[in-house]
Amino acid sequence: MATPILVVEDEPEIRELLAFTLSRASYDVVEAESSEQALQLLDRGIPELAIIDWMLPNMSGVDLARRLRRDELTQSMPIIMLTARGEEADKLRSFESGVDDYVTKPFSPRELLARIKALLRRSGAPADNILESGGIRLDLNSHRVTIEGELVHVGPTEYRLLELLMRHPDRAFDRSQLLDRVWGRSVYVEERTVDVHVLRLRKVLQPFKLQHLIQTVRGVGYRFSPQ
Ligand code: CA
């Protein structure tokens, strides 16, 4: 699975054009036609970036952006606002709502892709889709995991858990944060499920004596520490 990007646009032609442009550039496109639908999709998983149209029915793109900025899960997700207007006041308002960049419609696909790339680089997403740390290498395109040069089998949940932890080295996540990010908010899973999957992950790392990379943070949860 490639880098997921959420597209929120109510006009079908523009949404299709965006989806086409992004999938041709090997992004994984998640489409929503309203802010409400976008919020539902976000409960199932957090994309790497969101492209939000300013003019949406009901909840506007600006209001959606504000809401995403207030939510801990989506706080740091880069947002590009699509706007049909070129007025300074509107650009200013969209920046105030917490968006990282804006693109005026009709947009140039090349310019949009360049802006996406720049934002993903800033947000710490690996440019070549390879995440490497502490002897572990994750290929985010193929979902293959290599440890010290050896290909290992990792279950889908363990993979997502490992990817999340490796993307945020030395950050402690509590169990509910891990559940929201790895399983999604829409799924009800007991907190101790996290422990089961951490245990499985450590078992994968054990033959390489790397199980200590996933540390238990007492009273909190877990963290990935490559040191
Ligand atoms: Ca629109």
Side-chain angles (χ1 to χ4, degrees):
M1 199 177 78
T3 308
I5 295 185
L6 172 68
V7 169
V8 194
E9 166 65 270
D10 57 319
E11 286 155 80
E13 298 81 26
I14 301 173
R15 201 172 57 239
E16 274 163 33
L17 178 62
L18 284 165
F20 176 75
T21 304
L22 296 173
S23 40
R24 258 193 29 176
S26 304
Y27 292 109
D28 196 18
V29 189
V30 184
E31 295 177 48
E33 52 183 37
S34 66
S35 296
E36 292 76 11
Q37 199 191 353
L39 290 169
Q40 279 178 10
L41 289 170
L42 288 165
D43 279 345
R44 290 186 222 152
I46 308 300
E48 290 287 321
L49 183 142
I51 300 172
I52 303 172
D53 183 39
W54 176 295
M55 298 292 276
L56 292 168
N58 304 315
M59 193 194 296
S60 77
V62 176
D63 289 337
L64 175 62
R66 280 210 187 94
R67 186 154 164 179
L68 297 179
R69 280 296 168 260
R70 281 199 304 264
D71 189 324
E72 196 236 349
L73 268 182
T74 47
Q75 220 165 41
S76 53
M77 174 179 68
I79 298 174
I80 295 177
M81 184 71 75
L82 270 185
T83 166
R85 339 167 183 197
E87 290 156 39
E88 283 307 307
D90 287 345
K91 286 177 189 169
L92 217 65
R93 254 188 74 200
S94 70
F95 278 118
E96 277 167 5
S97 68
V99 311
D100 302 275
D101 206 350
Y102 65 88
V103 168
T104 311
K105 288 195 276 190
F107 62 90
S108 128
R110 272 183 65 186
E111 186 197 336
L112 179 69
L113 292 174
R115 286 172 186 267
I116 289 172
K117 247 185 144 171
L119 280 179
L120 288 176
R121 212 176 301 130
R122 254 205 280 162
S123 74
D128 49 2
N129 273 325
I130 299 290
L131 200 61
E132 201 160 14
S133 186
I136 307 171
R137 187 176 193 271
L138 258 63
D139 183 326
L140 304 180
N141 285 324
S142 66
H143 277 202
R144 287 202 178 94
V145 181
T146 318
I147 304 177
E148 290 172 353
E150 197 179 310
L151 192 66
V152 293
H153 177 75
V154 176
T157 306
E158 285 75 56
Y159 176 87
R160 287 200 299 276
L161 190 60
L162 184 60
E163 180 186 339
L164 174 70
L165 293 171
M166 282 178 70
R167 275 176 186 267
H168 305 276
D170 283 318
R171 174 177 164 178
F173 287 95
D174 66 34
R175 287 170 181 80
S176 77
Q177 287 173 324
L178 291 171
L179 284 175
D180 283 352
R181 286 167 168 81
V182 175
W183 281 264
R185 264 182 190 161
S186 59
V187 188
Y188 178 74
V189 186
E190 279 183 66
E191 291 205 343
R192 62 164 184 230
T193 307
V194 173
D195 305 321
V196 172
H197 289 274
V198 166
L199 207 69
R200 286 189 195 157
L201 202 48
R202 283 185 178 144
K203 272 198 181 134
V204 172
L205 303 178
Q206 207 165 9
F208 304 91
K209 306 221 182 318
L210 291 175
Q211 66 273 26
H212 62 275
L213 295 183
I214 297 178
Q215 302 177 340
T216 302
V217 185
R218 256 173 223 290
V220 182
Y222 300 98
R223 83 176 149 231
F224 179 83
S225 188
Q227 273 85 44

